[in-house]
Amino acid sequence: MKLSSINKQHLLFSIVLGIAGLLINCYPIQFFANVQFVLGNTVTVIAAVLLGPWYAFLTAMFASTGLMINWDSPHVYLFFGLEALFLGYARRLDIYALYADAAYWLVIGAPLVYLYVTFIMEIPSSHLGFIIAKQGVNGLVYTSLASLLILAIPKLWFFKDKVKDRHRRMLSAQLTYFFTLMVTLTMLFSALIFNYYFLERQQAMLKQNINDAVSHLATSTQNYLRNHKTVIDNAAKQLTIVADDPKQWQNMLVNLHESYPSFISMLIADPRADIISASPASRLINIDNEENINIKDRDYFIESFYNHRLFVSSVFLGRGFGNDAIIAMSAPFYTDLQHTTTAGIVEGSLDLSHFSHVDQNNEYTDDESVVMVDEQNQIIYASEKLGLTALSVFNFTVNDGVYRTSLELLNIEHPDSIVPEYIYAHKTLDNGWTVYILKEFSPLLKLAEEQMFSSFLMLLISLVCTFYISRKLSALLTVPLEAVASQFSASAVGGTKIPSIDENSPKEVFNLYQRLAASKQQLIDNQVELENTVARRTEELENANRKLKELVDRDPLTGLFNRRYAEGKFNEMLDFCMRSEQALTVVVLDLDLFKEVNDNFGHLAGDECLRIFSQLLQKYFKRDIDIVARYGGEEFLLILPLSNALHIKHHLNSFREAVSEQRFTSPEDKREFSVTVSIGAITANADYANDLDKWIKVADDNLYQAKQDGRNRTMIDIITE
């Protein structure tokens, strides 16, 4: 089936709109979290309003492809394809696009989003309200923009062959819709801009607070480690002073431990790595067997004793004297002040539970948590509500998906989820440890949801108020105009009660009424004269049309019918012969070597030759039903109904001989010349073919054969079947 020119135009326009929407949707405008304004869908609304549902659906498929490229989620084809069809059919019912789109997202879109998010996407139910609200607001934004574009761009407003209103709209309804549209768009953008800056401010404050918190915690942790490293270093220096008196070591160690209870345990080991002194001794020395524990395989002994340095270990599990996760701090002490010979090491196992006290006593809010890891990414400490195990690897993924904010986001429980779980800030300490502060993302999203719902509620209230006020304002403008129309309408005759127009009416309306009243009588006076003029002009026009039709159907040079007339009459002659079961003859005639006449005797002689030849044709084929036409140049066409197959060739030959005997005179120099004619024809029953071109094809082939055989010949096919 071939598409009409209008359909082709609509199809091309919808595809162009769709490609424009695709390009725009490849770059959606980011607002907050996963809120992105898909302004490319504006073209879908334009297509729905101007072209109807199916062209809008085609546009939506193109525009949605841009979102598919960006989001990699096929739901866009379903949601926005249905929206396009809904808006297109609503347009056919004379429903304004803004009202229709609001109804779509309330009745169809919201349930679809709910089902899609619930059963297909791995998104917490707490996010549902936010997602549904942002889809509805998004729809109102691009629908309002599309409606304003149609009003503002003349080529769209006066689009040729656009979908027409089934009923003429009232001016009051149009004004109400326009005011509603303007207020909707103004309030939408005002609310969105306010919400945008409000959320930006909230994010900036949150980012500042969390960065301050992590800096405070990092400083506190670093000071805690530095202070206890200093304790171990000072203890080593004191032991160096009394290195020659091991009896003092135990008391010194106990006193030191009492002063710094943050160490779970403390010990002194000799060069053989045997523990000589410990606090508390019961945890580190086997009293029953009176055997010392040897620590020669411990990193803190090896690093301090052999490498002569203050050493802080990674987090590890205590062995042989408890199951606590500890950090060992150790330092060597010497037999002399010149540090020539190592007398042993002093070590303290630092209590990591200190960080839980810091966490519990901090100034953070309840939705913040702490994670501390060592240089090997092992968890030193994690807030209890995170459910992370100490000494396990801290596994998390940085969330850089569709939830885009100015904050850093990560996931712990659901690493592959597109929904971020925590906002975080981190800082690395001098010893390679890293401190993280985590804050749940959902409260910020909840705040954005509340803002959006509040804006949406304010918008609805404003729309209701605007709709009411607009209707009243429209009535003030349209009722007086309707009164003027009633005064001058045909129905205003008789006892019909119509609104009165007086000085209380608006000045412009009253002036209009006065001018119309003054013009009414003049129009009545002119009506009779106009009717007479019209009748006279009509008669003149009919006569002119008759003459024009004769000129249109006739060749101006020869006076014969032209090709258009012959082709138009063929079907009529064919039906005539078919009803009477008679044969039809189609003849093509061509003057032989006619170019030589023009070359040798001039174009005037050629024109004279064509006129006399045409007179001969009319003389030989003079029945009322015969059609004699000039087909073009020196070529002529005969359509001869009710032909006698036995006599037609003889009659054509008679005409051919008459032409060859005819003498022609040049108008310029009075020289005489003659011409011949070649004839190709076909005679057949009327049901041979309905298409004139098939008859002419056979006749033309015979004409060509006549030319090939030497010209001045008649070639005819008589088909009897």
Side-chain angles (χ1 to χ4, degrees):
M1 183 185 296
K2 294 183 177 179
L3 291 172
S4 66
S5 59
I6 294 177
N7 288 340
K8 289 180 180 178
Q9 181 184 8
H10 287 182
L11 181 63
L12 179 61
F13 186 57
S14 63
I15 292 174
V16 170
L17 285 177
I19 293 173
L22 186 155
L23 295 175
I24 296 172
N25 278 342
C26 284
Y27 304 95
I29 299 176
Q30 187 70 36
F31 180 67
F32 170 74
N34 65 337
V35 180
Q36 294 178 323
F37 292 114
V38 288
L39 299 185
N41 284 6
T42 301
V43 300
T44 300
V45 181
I46 293 175
V49 173
L50 298 181
L51 307 178
W54 294 109
Y55 292 107
F57 181 79
L58 176 62
T59 301
M61 292 301 99
F62 276 97
S64 298
T65 301
L67 298 175
M68 181 65 185
I69 294 170
N70 203 304
W71 296 346
D72 192 24
S73 182
H75 77 278
V76 295
Y77 292 112
L78 173 64
F79 290 178
F80 300 126
L82 286 177
E83 182 186 26
L85 293 175
F86 189 89
L87 292 179
Y89 282 111
R91 174 68 183 88
R92 288 185 176 179
L93 297 175
D94 294 348
I95 301 174
Y96 285 111
L98 181 63
Y99 304 152
D101 199 66
Y104 170 79
W105 286 109
L106 285 173
V107 178
I108 299 176
L112 281 177
V113 172
Y114 174 82
L115 293 174
Y116 179 79
V117 172
T118 303
F119 296 103
I120 297 179
M121 298 186 70
E122 297 180 359
I123 294 180
S125 58
S126 59
H127 293 229
L128 267 173
F130 181 73
I131 294 173
I132 293 174
K134 63 110 173 178
Q135 291 288 2
V137 171
N138 213 340
L140 291 178
V141 169
Y142 58 69
T143 302
S144 301
L145 280 176
S147 301
L148 282 180
L149 285 174
I150 293 173
L151 291 173
I153 301 176
K155 287 187 178 180
L156 295 179
W157 180 250
F158 298 104
F159 187 78
K160 185 179 180 182
D161 300 312
K162 68 178 182 180
V163 177
K164 306 295 184 183
D165 294 329
R166 298 173 64 185
H167 306 285
R168 187 177 295 277
R169 299 183 188 271
M170 297 183 64
L171 177 60
S172 59
Q174 292 178 333
L175 289 174
T176 300
Y177 179 66
F178 178 75
F179 288 138
T180 304
L181 192 63
M182 290 298 297
V183 170
T184 299
L185 199 58
T186 302
M187 291 204 63
L188 269 175
F189 276 106
S190 298
L192 290 173
I193 291 172
F194 171 77
N195 289 341
Y196 174 79
Y197 284 109
F198 175 80
L199 291 172
E200 283 291 307
R201 178 62 178 164
Q202 290 295 318
Q203 292 178 79
M205 293 173 59
L206 184 59
K207 190 172 186 178
Q208 182 65 41
N209 290 340
I210 200 170
N211 284 333
D212 290 345
V214 78
S215 295
H216 172 73
L217 184 57
T219 302
S220 175
T221 301
Q222 202 146 270
N223 290 337
Y224 180 72
L225 295 174
R226 186 182 297 115
N227 291 340
H228 287 80
K229 285 168 63 178
T230 302
V231 169
I232 296 297
D233 188 47
N234 290 336
K237 291 177 181 178
Q238 293 176 13
L239 286 171
T240 299
I241 296 173
V242 296
D244 57 347
D245 189 5
K247 293 180 179 181
Q248 297 186 39
W249 295 358
Q250 180 65 33
N251 290 332
M252 182 183 297
L253 190 64
V254 171
N255 292 333
L256 183 64
H257 193 193
E258 290 176 353
S259 300
Y260 295 95
S262 295
F263 288 111
I264 295 176
S265 62
M266 300 186 75
L267 62 85
I268 298 174
D270 63 14
R272 293 189 303 275
D274 291 332
I275 296 177
I276 303 301
S277 301
S279 178
S282 60
R283 298 188 62 182
L284 300 172
I285 299 177
N286 190 333
I287 298 176
D288 294 335
N289 297 325
E290 298 182 355
E291 292 180 359
N292 293 339
I293 296 176
N294 189 276
I295 59 170
K296 64 180 179 180
D297 60 337
R298 301 300 177 92
D299 288 342
Y300 59 80
F301 178 80
I302 297 171
E303 292 291 336
S304 293
F305 188 81
Y306 294 107
N307 294 329
H308 305 285
R309 69 185 183 94
L310 176 65
F311 172 70
V312 179
S313 73
S314 300
V315 180
F316 66 97
L317 190 64
R319 184 176 61 181
F321 43 86
N323 295 318
D324 298 310
I326 62 174
I327 302 169
M329 293 183 175
S330 61
F333 62 95
Y334 304 91
T335 58
D336 52 33
L337 296 178
Q338 287 74 31
H339 297 179
T340 57
T341 304
T342 305
I345 66 136
V346 58
E347 182 269 344
S349 299
L350 190 61
D351 183 9
L352 298 184
S353 63
H354 164 79
F355 301 120
S356 66
H357 300 307
V358 174
D359 186 17
Q360 294 168 8
N361 297 325
N362 63 29
E363 299 176 355
Y364 319 138
T365 58
D366 293 337
D367 59 351
E368 290 186 358
S369 304
V370 176
V371 177
M372 189 178 301
V373 298
D374 65 10
E375 68 279 6
Q376 297 176 356
N377 203 34
Q378 290 186 107
I379 297 174
I380 299 171
Y381 170 78
S383 296
E384 184 177 351
K385 57 186 173 184
L386 294 177
L388 301 176
T389 304
L391 298 182
S392 63
V393 176
F394 182 39
N395 291 318
F396 66 91
T397 56
V398 176
N399 191 301
D400 55 357
V402 295
Y403 283 76
R404 297 175 185 170
T405 72
S406 60
L407 304 168
E408 294 181 285
L409 307 173
L410 61 76
N411 288 41
I412 298 176
E413 288 87 355
H414 304 93
D416 298 329
S417 175
I418 63 172
V419 180
E421 296 170 353
Y422 297 99
I423 304 163
Y424 79 100
H426 67 287
K427 189 169 184 179
T428 302
L429 308 184
D430 294 341
N431 64 345
W433 292 8
T434 304
V435 178
Y436 293 86
I437 294 290
L438 308 182
K439 182 178 178 65
E440 293 181 11
F441 180 73
S442 55
L444 183 61
L445 193 65
K446 187 68 175 177
L447 178 63
E449 179 182 342
E450 291 173 357
Q451 288 293 114
M452 190 161 288
F453 270 120
S454 298
S455 302
F456 193 67
L457 182 60
M458 290 177 59
L459 176 64
L460 288 179
I461 295 173
S462 301
L463 284 180
V464 172
C465 295
T466 303
F467 186 80
Y468 177 78
I469 295 172
S470 299
R471 285 182 64 86
K472 292 298 182 182
L473 180 61
S474 300
L476 291 175
L477 297 174
T478 57
V479 169
L481 292 175
E482 187 176 353
V484 172
S486 299
Q487 290 281 353
F488 296 96
S489 66
S491 60
V493 181
T496 304
K497 185 177 180 180
I498 57 177
S500 60
I501 303 296
D502 52 27
E503 286 78 2
N504 293 325
S505 301
K507 182 177 180 180
E508 293 83 0
V509 176
F510 185 71
N511 290 339
L512 174 64
Y513 169 75
Q514 287 185 318
R515 288 196 295 270
L516 289 175
S519 301
K520 184 176 181 180
Q521 186 59 45
Q522 185 178 357
L523 290 174
I524 294 174
D525 295 340
N526 292 335
Q527 184 175 355
V528 176
E529 182 181 355
L530 180 61
E531 289 176 352
N532 294 333
T533 302
V534 169
R536 186 172 63 255
R537 296 298 185 195
T538 301
E539 183 179 0
E540 293 174 356
L541 181 60
E542 289 175 352
N543 293 334
N545 284 340
R546 261 193 314 272
K547 293 178 181 179
L548 181 61
K549 189 174 185 306
E550 291 178 0
L551 291 175
V552 168
D553 292 339
R554 296 283 181 176
D555 175 57
L557 176 64
T558 63
L560 301 179
F561 290 116
N562 56 26
R563 175 176 181 171
R564 185 191 65 82
Y565 178 83
E567 291 175 345
K569 294 290 286 185
F570 173 74
N571 288 334
E572 183 181 332
M573 296 296 100
L574 195 68
D575 292 341
F576 177 63
C577 293
M578 196 170 293
R579 288 195 300 272
S580 57
E581 297 182 352
Q582 296 291 325
L584 177 72
T585 299
V586 174
V587 184
V588 179
L589 308 94
D590 186 82
L591 291 174
D592 297 327
L593 304 175
F594 184 72
K595 184 176 182 300
E596 295 181 0
V597 174
N598 287 326
D599 293 343
N600 296 331
F601 299 96
H603 288 283
L604 292 178
D607 292 345
E608 181 66 17
C609 176
L610 291 175
R611 279 193 290 270
I612 295 175
F613 180 79
S614 300
Q615 292 170 3
L616 283 174
L617 277 174
Q618 290 174 313
K619 178 180 178 181
Y620 271 80
F621 305 97
K622 57 186 178 181
R623 295 183 302 170
D624 292 339
I625 58 176
D626 290 342
I627 297 175
V628 182
R630 184 182 180 188
Y631 204 57
E634 67 273 17
E635 195 172 40
F636 295 82
L637 174 68
L638 304 178
I639 300 175
L640 308 174
L642 306 183
S643 297
N644 188 325
L646 300 177
H647 297 93
I648 186 63
K649 185 173 183 179
H650 174 72
H651 192 61
L652 291 172
N653 280 326
S654 297
F655 170 73
R656 179 179 57 77
E657 292 170 357
V659 171
S660 62
E661 294 171 358
Q662 176 71 39
R663 304 299 295 175
F664 300 89
T665 303
S666 172
E668 293 180 341
D669 53 12
K670 305 304 180 184
R671 286 186 297 165
E672 292 188 351
F673 61 92
S674 61
V675 296
T676 60
V677 63
S678 296
I679 302 173
I682 175 177
T683 298
N685 293 330
D687 58 0
Y688 170 72
N690 293 328
D691 190 353
L692 176 61
D693 289 341
K694 292 185 177 180
W695 294 77
I696 292 177
K697 175 67 169 58
V698 177
D700 205 46
D701 289 344
N702 287 332
L703 174 64
Y704 178 78
Q705 188 60 47
K707 295 278 189 180
Q708 291 294 107
D709 291 347
R711 300 185 180 86
N712 194 22
R713 282 174 170 72
T714 300
M715 298 294 295
I716 183 170
D717 283 352
I718 299 175
I719 302 173
T720 58
E721 295 181 358

